[in-house]
Amino acid sequence: MKRTSRKASTPSRRHPSRDDSPKGRPVKAKAATNRKSAALFARAQAVIPGGVNSPVRAFKAVGGSPRFIASAKGATITDVDGNTYIDYVLSWGPLIHGHAPPSLIRTLGQVAKLGTSYGAPTELEVLIAEKVRSLMPTLELVRFTSSGTEATMSAVRVARAATGRDRVIKFAGCYHGHADGFLVEAGSGALTLGVPTSPGVAASTAALTLTATFNDLDSVEALLDANAMQVAAIVVEPIVGNMGTVPPAPGFLQGLRRLCDQHGVLLIFDEVMTGFRVHRGGAQALYGVWPDLTCLGKIIGGGLPVGAYGGRKDLMSLVAPAGPMYQAGTLSGNPLAVTAGLWSLRGLNATLYRTLERLSKRLGDGLLAAARRASVPLQVNRVGSMITPFFTAYPVTDYASATKSDTERYGAFHRAMLARGVYLPASQYEAWFLSAAHTDRHVAATIAAAEAAFGEIA
Ligand SMILES: *Cc1c(COP(=O)(O)O)cnc(C)c1O
C-alpha cells in the first residue's frame, strides 16, 4: 500500500544509521516528521483512553509521542509519516519470524476464504495442540484462549480447583496479564499480604496474592511457612521479561520445584513470553525444570490473538467439559489465529535459535562496548533473543535492582534511537527481541546508532 512498505526488509536506503557508514563516524539523527502520527494521537485521545489500547504504547515512560504504524515487513516497521525503523519490539514478542512473512500471509488468505470463525471444533485446533505437546511434553493437555491474560487466570483457577487452596505466590516485578489477582505487589515485608497495584482490584482479591522476591528462595519459603496449607500455586516467569530481562539465578527454578513438592503446591510457569522464544521447548527445556502447568501466548499466536494453558493430565482434566472447572471463549481456537500460531511453531528449528543467539550476543556486546566508550553505566541482561540494557552500574537480578535504573536516561536514549531509525520498547522495564528477519546489517546499524545516542545522552 505505502510506497515505503515494499522493500523494507532491510533498513531503508536513506536510513542514516546503516552499518556501511565509516566506523567511528557519528550517526546523525534524522529530522523526521511525525505530523500524521501526532494528528492521529490527538484524535485517538478523544475516543480511546489515553489514545491507546494498551498503556505502554502511549510512550509516557519515555516522552515523545507514539508513532502510528502503517505497515511492517521483516525486521522493520513504517509509520504513517513514512519513517521506517528497525523494530526490536516485534509486537512485544510474538513475531519471532519477523513481520508479515509472505507464506503466512498467503496461508491466512486461503484460510479466511473458508470462513473466519465457526464456534465449533476444527482440525486446526487438534494440529496445534499436538504440535504444542510435541514441543513441550509437560503440556499433556492444552486449552487455547485468545490472550495470555486468559491463560494465566485460567491456570490459577485450575490450581485452586485441584488443591482446594486459595492463595497464590507471585514475584515482585513479574507480569502475568491484567486479571485482578495478578495486579498486586508486596508491601515492604516479605510476609505482608498483597495490596492492589491498581484501583478497582478488590482488597479481598489482592489479599490472596502473596509476593516474593525473584531469585530469592528464602522469601518463598518464608511465605510458604507463614501460609501453610493455604497456597495453591507459585506462578513465575521462568526468565522475567516484564521488569526487563532478568534470568533466573542458577538453582532458583530447581529450588521452586523442590519447595512446591515439599509443600503440595503447584508450580506454574508463565511462559507467555519465554515459550518458543528462548528454546523450542521454552524456558522449561532450557533449564530442565518441569512445571505442573504452563501458560503460553505471544509466539504461539504468530501475531494473532492466541493464548494457551496446559499441563499434567490429571490437573487439566478438571477443565470443563472434561471436569467441573469452568472456562470458555467465543473466539478460542479461532481458525485464523490458530493458523498463524501453527505456522509460527512449524518454523521453529535449531538453526533459527543459533542465529538469534549469535545476533543477540553481537547486539548485547556492541551496546556494552558503545556505552563504555561514552562512559554511560550499562548492564546488559540477555537470554537468547530476549535482551535488556539497563541504565545502571549494578547487576540486575530482581525488581529492587531493576528499579535502580536511570529511567530518565532510558527515555533520552529511546528518543535518540527513534530519531536514528531504531524502534525500541517505550520503557526501561521491557525486553527487546530479535527475529528471523533481523540480520547482521540491522544489528550493526543499531550499534552504530547506539554509539551516537550514548554520546548524545552521556
Ligand atoms: C504478555 C504477557 C502476559 C499477558 O498476555 P496478553 O496476551 O497481553 O494478555 C502474561 N504473562 C507474561 C509473562 C507476558 O509477557
Side-chain angles (χ1 to χ4, degrees):
M1 252 178 66
K2 282 206 67 97
R3 165 174 49 86
T4 40
S5 71
R6 287 275 180 250
K7 294 179 284 192
S9 59
T10 53
S12 89
R13 207 143 288 240
R14 287 163 300 135
H15 199 285
S17 51
R18 298 181 59 187
D19 60 327
D20 55 359
S21 67
K23 251 209 149 78
R25 194 220 268 167
V27 179
K28 287 226 198 66
K30 182 164 69 170
T33 31
N34 307 308
R35 202 173 44 80
K36 290 181 182 166
S37 277
L40 278 172
F41 192 42
R43 271 172 62 199
Q45 284 172 294
V47 285
I48 301 170
V52 291
N53 284 312
S54 201
V56 72
R57 297 179 197 169
F59 277 28
K60 274 195 152 179
V62 290
S65 98
R67 303 301 187 260
F68 279 63
I69 303 306
S71 67
K73 184 84 189 128
T76 63
I77 57 172
T78 300
D79 68 19
V80 290
D81 291 288
N83 305 301
T84 293
Y85 308 91
I86 306 171
D87 183 18
Y88 291 96
V89 178
L90 294 171
S91 190
W92 304 93
L95 305 180
I96 196 166
H97 301 292
H99 289 280
S103 92
L104 171 59
I105 302 307
R106 255 194 324 273
T107 308
L108 284 173
Q110 287 157 5
V111 171
K113 284 196 193 116
L114 304 174
T116 55
S117 185
Y118 315 116
T122 62
E123 183 182 12
L124 286 167
E125 293 160 88
V126 182
L127 290 172
I128 195 170
E130 288 171 348
K131 183 68 184 171
V132 167
R133 196 177 59 182
S134 76
L135 293 171
M136 286 189 180
T138 62
L139 283 86
E140 294 171 343
L141 292 175
V142 55
R143 166 61 61 83
F144 286 81
T145 64
S146 299
S147 69
T149 295
E150 288 172 84
T152 55
M153 61 188 259
S154 306
V156 166
R157 192 176 298 151
V158 171
R160 288 181 169 137
T163 59
R165 303 172 181 180
D166 284 346
R167 296 193 170 176
V168 168
I169 294 177
K170 76 179 278 286
F171 294 88
C174 281
Y175 179 70
H176 304 293
H178 62 84
D180 283 3
F182 287 124
L183 292 181
V184 169
E185 62 186 4
S188 52
L191 301 180
T192 315
L193 291 181
V195 294
T197 301
S198 164
V201 174
S204 56
T205 300
L208 297 177
T209 304
L210 311 168
T211 308
T213 303
F214 192 73
N215 279 331
D216 179 355
L217 288 173
D218 290 345
S219 75
V220 180
E221 197 155 17
L223 287 173
L224 288 171
D225 288 341
N227 296 275
M229 307 301 289
Q230 297 180 66
V231 177
I234 295 176
V235 187
V236 66
E237 293 180 70
I239 301 158
V240 191
N242 287 292
M243 52 188 167
T245 305
V246 179
F252 176 65
L253 297 175
Q254 289 82 353
L256 291 182
R257 181 68 272 177
R258 180 173 42 78
L259 287 173
C260 281
D261 293 343
Q262 280 168 7
H263 292 261
V265 170
L266 296 174
L267 182 59
I268 304 178
F269 275 5
D270 179 353
E271 295 225 42
V272 170
M273 187 183 291
T274 56
F276 317 114
R277 167 57 64 186
V278 295
H279 187 286
R280 274 179 88 180
Q284 51 195 270
L286 188 64
Y287 297 108
V289 178
W290 311 108
D292 301 295
L293 294 164
T294 299
C295 308
L296 297 168
K298 301 198 166 108
I299 289 174
I300 201 178
L304 272 80
V306 182
Y309 65 104
R312 275 167 41 194
K313 190 172 179 187
D314 60 315
L315 300 173
M316 290 302 293
S317 297
L318 293 168
V319 177
M325 191 219 90
Y326 192 71
Q327 185 271 317
T330 301
L331 294 175
S332 296
N334 173 270
L336 287 172
V338 165
T339 295
L342 198 52
W343 186 94
S344 184
L345 297 183
R346 282 177 175 160
L348 303 175
N349 58 56
T351 313
L352 169 65
Y353 293 101
R354 265 200 305 276
T355 306
L356 290 174
E357 167 63 25
R358 186 178 60 73
L359 289 176
S360 176
K361 181 173 191 318
R362 182 171 175 190
L363 177 61
D365 291 350
L367 290 171
L368 269 181
R372 206 175 306 120
R373 281 193 290 276
S375 301
V376 170
L378 197 77
Q379 302 285 319
V380 174
N381 279 7
R382 189 179 74 80
V383 180
S385 59
M386 282 172 70
I387 176 167
T388 303
F390 289 97
F391 284 81
T392 168
Y394 305 100
V396 174
T397 59
D398 59 13
Y399 185 61
S401 46
T403 50
K404 296 227 164 65
S405 302
D406 184 342
T407 54
E408 294 283 318
R409 194 168 243 186
Y410 182 82
F413 180 70
H414 183 273
R415 294 189 297 275
M417 292 296 275
L418 203 59
R420 289 171 174 81
V422 182
Y423 192 82
L424 302 176
S427 164
Q428 168 71 90
Y429 305 117
E430 298 286 354
W432 307 10
F433 303 106
L434 289 116
S435 76
H438 285 72
T439 63
D440 282 294
R441 279 173 60 120
H442 295 112
V443 169
T446 303
I447 295 167
E451 177 103 43
F454 285 134
E456 190 175 303
I457 66 169

